[in-house]
């Protein structure tokens, strides 16, 4: 129901845009989020957006570099990632939940993940 794509290999300082296409149900009432998990680390929150009002939320370590946006007509959420750093290397997941939260366990629906690798 959530299909993430757009990952790949990029050099430090480069950019990638991830996409998350929703299908099978209406996610318009959900908060859409991006979270990531690096090897050996816990899954961490990266960004979230509310469809109603389009408010976005970011942790400090991506503010100014990552931008989340959504196209409700296409049921697609995007994550534009600029000025990428090697520490951004992780599997990136899109998710949907009832509330804006940094806690991955509170997201109800998950995409399959897409690998982002940033080389130094």
């Amino acid at each position: 129901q959530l299909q993430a794509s757009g990952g790949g290999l990029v050099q430090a300082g480069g950019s990638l845009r991830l996409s998350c296409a929703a299908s099978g149900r209406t996610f318009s009432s959900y908060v859409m989020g991006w979270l990531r998990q690096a090897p050996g680390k816990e899954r961490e929150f990266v960004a979230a957006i509310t469809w109603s009002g389009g408010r976005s939320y970011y942790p400090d370590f991506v503010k100014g570099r990552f931008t989340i946006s959504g196209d409700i007509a296409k049921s697609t959420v995007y994550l534009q990632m600029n000025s990428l750093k090697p520490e951004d290397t992780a599997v990136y997941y899109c998710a949907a939940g009832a509330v804006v939260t940094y806690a991955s366990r509170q997201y109800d629906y998950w995409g399959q993940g897409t690998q982002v690798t940033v080389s130094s």
Side-chain angles (χ1 to χ4, degrees), residues 74-85:
K74 296 182 179 180
S75 297
T76 301
V77 176
Y78 305 97
L79 184 68
Q80 178 67 43
M81 305 186 293
N82 299 328
S83 302
L84 282 162
K85 305 175 182 180

Side-chain angles (χ1 to χ4, degrees), residues 27-33 48-51 57 95-101 107:
F27 286 95
S28 59
S29 62
Y30 284 79
V31 174
M32 302 300 295
I49 189 168
T50 58
W51 287 117
Y57 304 82
V99 296
V100 176
T101 176
Y107 286 88

